[in-house]
Amino acid sequence: MRYIIIGAGAVGGTIGGRLHESGREVVLVARGAHLEALRKDGLRLATPEGTRTLSVPAVGGPEEVDLRDGDVLVLAVKTQHSVPLLDAWAARPVAGGGTAGEVLPLLCAQNGVENERLALRRFRHVYGVCVWLPSTHLEPGKVSAAGSPLTGILHIGRCTGGSDATAEQVAADLAAAHFGAPVSEDVMRWKYAKLLGNLNNALEAVGGPIDGGLRLALAERTSAEGRAVLEAAGIGHAGAEEQRAAGRDRVVLLPIDGEERGGGSSWQSLARGSGDIEADYLNGEIVLLGRQHGVPTPLNAALQRLANAFAREGLAPGTLPEPELAALLES
């Protein structure tokens, strides 16, 4: 298998770098200054073991890759960037016949639950990947991942349910690359559990670390809204005990020399000044389901609006004034 990582940021760069180190063939897909740095100097991968530079091939898009049977596409971008990339890659011809959308497997290594639905409109063989992977991408050409002894846990399965030989082979390759990679017959249960865990990404991004007091109270209420919505919608998700049993405690955050860990993926979007953020597909998913099933979600709606405003206006992460943060409890 050759792994084509579409989006070589924190998650995609770490997965691609680790697979490359384990001897798998990998192509990274990136853009802008990040692509330029990857082509010029290689991928700098920092983990608790140290920082090293990996000579992984990097391209800017599908027109630079001759697709072949046996390729695996791994989509690892934020949801708001998925559609144009899915369109561009699905139409590409594959040596031996057919297009990527018809014959190649596509793995959605992404937060939220919308990507699989978007992908199924364009790809026949779509796999969900529930990503437990603490990683950071703040400067061109470099990603870091602080997890040890496992770099992360990546549940994988067919997004429509069940498993197959492709999922088993991908899981085996990931397991050889410092990941836990359970194959799941119902991977979306894991992705809905991760969605609940990601609802406070926006709170951290606009309000700072969730380290107790007011922020913890807000976090608990945000999560409670999410659980109430999923229950009303009849959507199951993996519970805390099930997640522990899956080995999440084997991803322990350790220091990386010369680096101070920042926040999660939404915090990083603001820190990089990317101009957009994933809140519409995290908090916004709960807002959508709440409206469909008659469950109020005022805090998730407020965090969705705030996160989008911070991204649109280029505001620094964690700078929401304390009185405005406190006012969220009244929303």
Side-chain angles (χ1 to χ4, degrees):
M1 286 179 164
R2 177 176 63 167
Y3 291 90
I4 299 173
I5 312 294
I6 305 169
V11 168
T14 301
I15 292 173
R18 281 302 207 183
L19 284 168
H20 174 85
E21 285 187 309
S22 70
R24 274 61 184 181
E25 188 176 2
V26 174
V27 176
L28 301 177
V29 183
R31 60 182 180 173
H34 188 42
L35 173 61
E36 187 177 332
L38 292 172
R39 283 174 161 166
K40 181 175 181 286
D41 300 316
L43 173 68
R44 287 181 294 149
L45 175 62
T47 69
E49 306 151 35
T51 300
R52 54 273 194 204
T53 299
L54 308 175
S55 297
V56 189
V59 301
E63 66 282 353
E64 299 178 41
V65 182
D66 292 324
L67 296 176
R68 63 199 192 211
D69 187 39
D71 283 343
V72 175
L73 305 180
V74 181
L75 189 63
V77 299
K78 302 292 194 300
T79 309
Q80 63 268 26
H81 302 145
S82 288
V83 168
L85 291 170
L86 288 167
D87 286 340
W89 286 89
R92 294 296 295 175
V94 178
T99 64
E102 293 168 336
V103 302
L104 294 185
L106 176 84
L107 277 62
C108 295
Q110 300 164 282
N111 287 332
V113 294
E114 180 66 17
N115 297 288
E116 288 78 8
R117 296 191 289 243
L118 296 172
L120 280 170
R121 290 178 170 88
R122 298 156 173 87
F123 283 81
R124 183 174 298 170
H125 308 290
V126 179
Y127 299 77
V129 182
C130 177
V131 179
W132 292 346
L133 175 52
S135 53
T136 302
H137 167 55
L138 293 176
E139 60 180 281
K142 183 177 182 180
V143 298
S144 61
S148 180
L150 294 179
T151 299
I153 298 179
L154 306 171
H155 294 258
I156 180 173
R158 295 189 66 90
C159 72
T160 51
S163 181
D164 58 17
T166 296
E168 295 285 351
Q169 182 58 62
V170 171
D173 287 348
L174 290 170
H178 295 272
F179 294 103
V183 176
S184 174
E185 294 289 324
D186 189 359
V187 72
M188 297 311 292
R189 284 186 70 252
W190 293 94
K191 297 207 72 167
Y192 274 102
K194 183 68 184 327
L195 173 65
L196 290 176
N198 287 138
L199 294 181
N200 286 301
N201 286 15
L203 175 59
E204 178 196 49
V206 302
I210 302 169
D211 50 8
L214 170 62
R215 289 167 180 79
L216 182 58
L218 287 166
E220 289 172 345
R221 183 173 149 190
T222 304
S223 299
E225 285 184 3
R227 290 192 298 272
V229 162
L230 294 189
E231 183 177 358
I235 297 173
H237 59 87
E241 186 56 42
E242 192 175 358
Q243 293 178 49
R244 282 192 292 271
R248 194 164 183 175
D249 57 355
R250 296 187 64 203
V251 184
V252 178
L253 298 185
L254 295 180
I256 297 175
D257 285 346
E259 294 198 14
E260 183 176 344
R261 179 170 167 76
S265 58
S266 295
W267 183 94
Q268 292 175 46
S269 291
L270 295 183
R272 289 197 306 272
S274 64
D276 56 47
I277 201 164
E278 204 170 14
D280 285 346
Y281 300 98
L282 301 177
N283 306 90
E285 181 71 26
I286 295 303
V287 172
L288 169 63
L289 288 170
R291 289 168 179 164
Q292 290 175 332
H293 296 278
V295 179
T297 59
L299 189 49
N300 277 278
L303 289 172
Q304 179 186 2
R305 288 194 302 270
L306 280 167
N308 280 320
F310 265 61
R312 185 172 57 250
E313 297 168 21
L315 301 178
T319 57
L320 187 70
E322 198 78 7
E324 294 185 36
L325 197 61
L328 290 175
L329 282 178
E330 308 302 321
S331 62

